Amino acid sequence: MQTILGSNGQIGQELAKELYRNYTKNIRLVSRKPKKVNEQDQLYSADLLSFKESSEAIAGSDIVYFAVGLPMNSTMWEKQFPVIMQNVIKACETNGSKLVFFDNTYMYAKNDHPQKEDSPFIAKGRKALVRKQMAQMVLNEIEAGKLEAVICRAPEFYGPAKTSSITNTLVFNKIKQGKRIIVPLSKQKLRTLIWTPDASRAMALIGNTPDTYGQTWHLPCDNGHNYQELIEFAEKITGRKLKYTVIKMWEFKVASLFSKNARELQELLPRYGADNIFISEKFKKRFPDFSITPVDKGIKKLLAGEHNI
């Protein structure tokens, strides 16, 4: 049995497809209101803030994938994520299940230093501190020999369907909606983005490869591109000139006075003012046959439903 916690999110959905295609038909999907991805999926409704429900959801699982997401709300993250993480860790240890933790890069420094698996945690901001805490909880249990686990870390997403990220929201969704693109801070700084189906495929591969455990892995990405290049890719695909506006930090700060969403973005924005270089060479060397989606092809797939293509 392989179990996905947070199965309704885009990563969980893609993960369920990949596991079913290549690894197992015995899949359990867990969320408050889980929905089937594959016909044979088992559905389990659980509140992961409860250890009892977490343990029951995990019982009988060989591998558990943590793909739980919460709304961009710092207070909610501080109150709920550490409790959920602790419950899941304890439940995995109790049930003898392996844990595959899907993580992000919030705890890394927000500068132009290349991000590697051994980069130090220099968390600034409330959400960054929560993600640092969660990752450290997993690492502590691995080091103590209590938990067989692996950390799969990804940079910012772009992708189809319910993929949620600043770039998807401000750039690609705007293109699909026929609206002016919003570029955060700079059109010249490099961004390393990960195609969400690639992230899920890579996580399934790592989870089903025994010698990957006890480590942190950066999930595989194409080379970084700046927003100007991304927009030019989109222009070639759509066949039209796309309008955009670069929004400066001070403009976001003004918006934060009136918008809760803008306030929640504040701690994330500094990384858009510097090159964001995410290194995934460790994965590429270990799994040289893994096919990474080039950014231009990902954008073409993402915009495929647009009538002008």
Side-chain angles (χ1 to χ4, degrees), residues 220-239:
C221 305
D222 191 14
N223 295 329
H225 297 275
N226 62 40
Y227 279 118
Q228 183 169 329
E229 292 171 324
L230 298 180
I231 292 169
E232 288 171 357
F233 286 147
E235 287 178 333
K236 290 180 182 179
I237 292 164
T238 61

Side-chain angles (χ1 to χ4, degrees), residues 234-249:
E235 287 178 333
K236 290 180 182 179
I237 292 164
T238 61
R240 68 175 191 267
K241 189 69 176 177
L242 299 172
K243 297 180 179 180
Y244 65 90
T245 299
V246 178
I247 303 297
K248 301 300 183 182
M249 180 66 85

Side-chain angles (χ1 to χ4, degrees), residues 20 45 55 237:
Y20 191 86
S45 177
S55 187
I237 292 164

Side-chain angles (χ1 to χ4, degrees), residues 171-213:
V171 178
F172 299 123
N173 287 353
K174 296 292 186 185
I175 295 172
K176 291 194 288 184
Q177 295 162 1
K179 297 180 179 179
R180 180 181 287 270
I181 296 165
I182 297 173
V183 174
L185 303 195
S186 171
K187 66 178 183 179
Q188 299 295 343
K189 299 299 182 181
L190 294 176
R191 307 291 307 152
T192 306
L193 302 174
I194 190 165
W195 179 245
T196 46
D198 284 1
S200 296
R201 288 193 300 116
M203 186 159 59
L205 177 57
I206 288 172
N208 286 277
T209 304
D211 66 10
T212 63
Y213 283 80

